Amino acid sequence: MTILELLSLFMSDNSSATLPTRPVVSDAPQAGLWWGLLGVAAFSLTVPFTRVAVDGLSPLFIGSGRAVVAAVLAIACLVVSRQILPQGRQWPRLALVGGGVVVGFPLLTSFALTTAPASHGAVVIAVLPAATAVMTVLRGHERPPTAFWAAAGAGAAAALVFASAQGGGWGSLHWADLMLFGAVMAAAVGYAEGGLLARELGAWQTVSWALVICAPLMVGLTVVSAAQETPHGTPQQWASFAYLGVVSMFLGFFAWYRGLAIGPMAQVSQVQLVQPVLSIVWAGLLLNEHLTWATIVGGLVVVLFAGSAIRVRLGDRSGAERRVARVHL
């Protein structure tokens, strides 16, 4: 399947060209999890590829230029599919999404990974599922049961312990850590708000409009970075940059926001617990980091806790649906 066919599939499946809003619905109760997992798989390469790219390209150029690449694709998709403009309060909400996932996360991680190794970046970013769950509960008014939070918290702790062990420990905080923590908070806000907007605008439309809103700023930053230092890198570094722009910044959000839109968002967000595991595996393959049995076992533990949280949430949802059905009977 070509990229054009993939885009056509997404756009025809979730288009808002004729209707101002179209909630994302699915007959499969686990569809949101599978879409979320596909998005996480795409995002898991972001940290390793950013680490590869910053070895030759400036972090400002990477953080802003990848958004420009994605914005060009977004504009093309919006024009070809003749999408209607967002309405009213959707614009400031899209700006919030863009501030988190188009501006904040890419720029902060790009600068942080100029000094921090990919494995250390995975340590800090491993707290993103917990941060996203908090934001989704606050913004989406979801109320998962206590057992869900216990399993999710255990999964987050396991991911942190695993990733920190692989990264050589936390040590003292420095500017790179603070930037990574800032990136986590920015992404969590963008994920939560984007998941809600995807229910109104559609998954790919949400990230596309967010990219369009941020395009003038990111174009300006790209021009400034290119004027300060002419971009030059190896073919591998340019390929990494291309992935960040096309997949991490655009196509990955097609699946991720669709998964969050199907929801429940607090449940789907926990799929991110496998992301640090995948990132370290990719870092081993791309950056020649040694993959040990501890990595494999640690990854299984993280996935186990993530699965426990998902089962608890699915069980609670099914129980609630059964109770509602009995009331109607």
Side-chain angles (χ1 to χ4, degrees), residues 121-132:
V123 171
V124 182
I125 296 175
V127 303
L128 182 55
T132 302

Side-chain angles (χ1 to χ4, degrees), residues 133-202:
V134 171
M135 292 299 176
T136 55
V137 165
L138 294 176
R139 188 65 185 87
H141 306 293
E142 295 186 11
R143 293 295 183 268
T146 302
F148 169 81
W149 286 113
L160 284 170
V161 170
F162 164 68
S164 62
Q166 295 299 305
W170 284 91
S172 58
L173 287 177
H174 49 84
W175 70 271
D177 295 302
L178 297 177
M179 286 191 170
L180 288 168
F181 276 120
V184 166
M185 296 309 300
V189 171
Y191 286 171
E193 194 63 44
L196 289 172
L197 269 174
R199 295 173 175 175
E200 303 173 17
L201 298 175

Side-chain angles (χ1 to χ4, degrees), residues 33 129 132-133 135-137 139-142 144 148 191-199 256-257 259-272 313 317:
L33 297 177
T132 302
M135 292 299 176
T136 55
V137 165
R139 188 65 185 87
H141 306 293
E142 295 186 11
F148 169 81
Y191 286 171
E193 194 63 44
L196 289 172
L197 269 174
R199 295 173 175 175
W256 179 240
Y257 277 154
L260 289 177
I262 294 172
M265 288 197 296
Q267 172 194 352
V268 175
S269 68
Q270 297 308 299
V271 177
Q272 289 176 289
R313 190 65 180 100
R317 188 182 184 185

